[in-house]
Amino acid sequence: MAIALAMVSCVACTSTPGFLQSPDQQARAVLSAQKFVVVPASTAGAVPLLAAIKPAGAAPRKLTVFIESDGAPWPRTSLPPADPTPSNPLALKLAAVHLPQRDEAVAYLGRPCQYLSPAQLAGCPVRWWTIARFGVEPLALLNRQIDALKAGEPDAALRLVGYSGGGTAAALLAAQRGDVTCLVTVAAPLDTAAWSLAMKVAPLSESQNPADVAQALQKLRMTHFSGSFDAVVPAGVNALFMARARTREVVQAGFDHDSGWLRAWPALARASCLEDQDRP
């Protein structure tokens, strides 16, 4: 655990906003410090996603992909943020402190329209980080980039870890793909219809809802973490998903939507479906 705490401290220091660093530069600095290699966009002309991988020693048999949250919070207006890049990329930090098994490669995947230059962002539809954030096109981009991450080891067992809205996306991707062997969500809204009602926000009218495909996940090994003090994804909003998927939430006492997860991640990973073999 001492090693894990040291890594947490390192990530926190590396990701402290600098006077001259953009969010993209900060994210790439964290990835570089932890020896991740950025993977090019999978399709020419597509909106590029920030994706990076830290390969295992030789022929990894498992690939664990961490998927980022929806990103920047909405300001106190009816307008969405001008740029969805997260100011606190928690999924990236979880990937950085994750302690891989001997045969495990670890990857990080940003969401569509995050970490883009102003020129690139101008060509990214605002609906992709608002009402269609879990729609057909954004999910297709994520799927293609996961395929690119797997290209070097196509037979590796795929495990998806998603934080907040990244967990929503991970659940939908797991229902679509046939190669996912473990799904872990952290503070994720897994019934977006119930979540919209609970938060009194407009429904995600062009998005898919994990609760609608939950039955397809019944045979998948999965772990769903939630925080007892989470006001962003309140207790009870995922009840329908849990019932249909025949699974349950693992509630972390004292955790809210943002805090607690990073420091506890090594222990949480060992308590999840990610821990399917003894570690070295």
Side-chain angles (χ1 to χ4, degrees):
M1 184 58 73
I3 295 175
L5 293 180
M7 290 181 70
V8 169
S9 298
C10 176
V11 169
C13 293
T14 305
S15 59
T16 300
F19 290 109
L20 301 177
Q21 283 190 320
S22 67
D24 176 68
Q25 291 171 327
Q26 294 171 37
R28 290 172 186 269
V30 172
L31 293 168
S32 177
Q34 299 301 326
K35 303 187 185 306
F36 282 78
V37 177
V38 173
V39 176
S42 61
T43 306
V47 174
L49 305 185
L50 178 58
I53 188 169
K54 180 163 60 175
R61 296 193 299 114
K62 297 184 286 286
L63 171 63
T64 303
V65 180
F66 288 76
I67 303 177
E68 192 54 79
S69 67
D70 293 343
W74 283 50
R76 295 180 181 273
T77 68
S78 60
L79 297 176
D83 183 340
T85 300
S87 57
N88 178 29
L90 188 56
L92 181 149
K93 295 177 183 180
L94 292 177
V97 302
H98 183 69
L99 302 176
Q101 299 177 39
R102 183 182 295 109
D103 57 354
E104 176 186 8
V106 181
Y108 170 73
L109 183 57
R111 299 277 294 285
C113 308
Q114 296 178 355
Y115 305 110
L116 299 183
S117 68
Q120 291 171 323
L121 186 60
C124 199
V126 175
R127 46 191 281 276
W128 284 8
W129 70 86
T130 55
I131 58 174
R133 68 187 77 166
F134 309 119
V136 173
E137 295 158 303
L139 290 175
L141 283 174
L142 292 170
N143 258 325
R144 286 201 293 270
Q145 196 62 59
I146 290 173
D147 289 341
L149 288 166
K150 282 196 69 179
E153 295 296 335
D155 296 326
L158 177 63
R159 296 107 65 82
L160 300 180
V161 181
Y163 165 64
S164 191
T168 312
L172 291 166
L173 293 169
Q176 294 178 5
R177 301 180 65 97
D179 55 353
V180 179
T181 62
C182 166
L183 168 66
V184 178
T185 68
V186 177
L190 297 171
D191 181 350
T192 53
W195 175 81
S196 297
L197 287 172
M199 300 303 293
K200 299 180 180 179
V201 298
L204 305 179
S205 58
E206 296 183 29
S207 291
Q208 299 173 51
N209 184 354
D212 293 337
V213 297
Q215 290 178 323
L217 299 172
Q218 288 180 359
K219 296 182 180 180
L220 178 64
R221 298 172 65 246
M222 50 188 161
T223 308
H224 304 287
F225 293 112
S226 63
S228 63
F229 292 164
D230 193 340
V232 177
V233 184
V237 298
N238 291 333
L240 181 60
F241 174 91
M242 298 299 158
R244 289 179 173 176
R246 296 181 183 174
T247 186
R248 63 184 181 86
E249 287 184 292
V250 181
V251 181
Q252 300 301 303
F255 288 29
D256 61 22
H257 195 66
D258 303 300
S259 65
W261 304 110
L262 185 59
R263 184 171 293 273
W265 180 251
L268 294 177
R270 289 193 295 271
S272 76
C273 61
L274 297 173
E275 186 70 7
D276 57 358
Q277 291 185 6
D278 292 335
R279 290 177 180 272

